[in-house]
Amino acid sequence: DNTANTAASYLKFYDQTTVTVGTSVPFMVLKVKAGKTLRVACGVGQGIAFGTAISVAATTAGGTGGTTSPTGDLKVTLHTS
């Protein structure tokens, strides 16, 4: 939920226990448009597998680089099994 921000935010997911944002390579990056909510759904039995850990960071730039946090809160809900 990026409704608190007037610019796009990027959720960076890492399959690592220790992350250095801006240096560690994300497993996956999701862009959340300014003022919008993004929902990602996987079909039954088709989730996204992380082998080591799930670490998440929010920045204002996509890709590996970028260390600036969004100005407002970015709300994330993950459902795991």
Side-chain angles (χ1 to χ4, degrees), residues 3-66:
T3 54
N5 290 292
T6 58
S9 295
Y10 296 83
L11 285 173
K12 299 180 181 186
F13 292 84
Y14 303 88
D15 190 4
Q16 308 169 217
T17 56
T18 304
V19 171
T20 302
V21 178
T23 302
S24 298
V25 177
F27 175 77
M28 174 176 59
V29 178
L30 298 176
K31 179 180 180 180
V32 187
K33 293 181 181 180
K36 301 293 183 184
T37 298
L38 174 68
R39 293 176 192 250
V40 177
C42 296
V44 174
Q46 296 180 339
I48 301 168
F50 288 79
T52 302
I54 300 175
S55 299
V56 182
T59 66
T60 58
T64 300

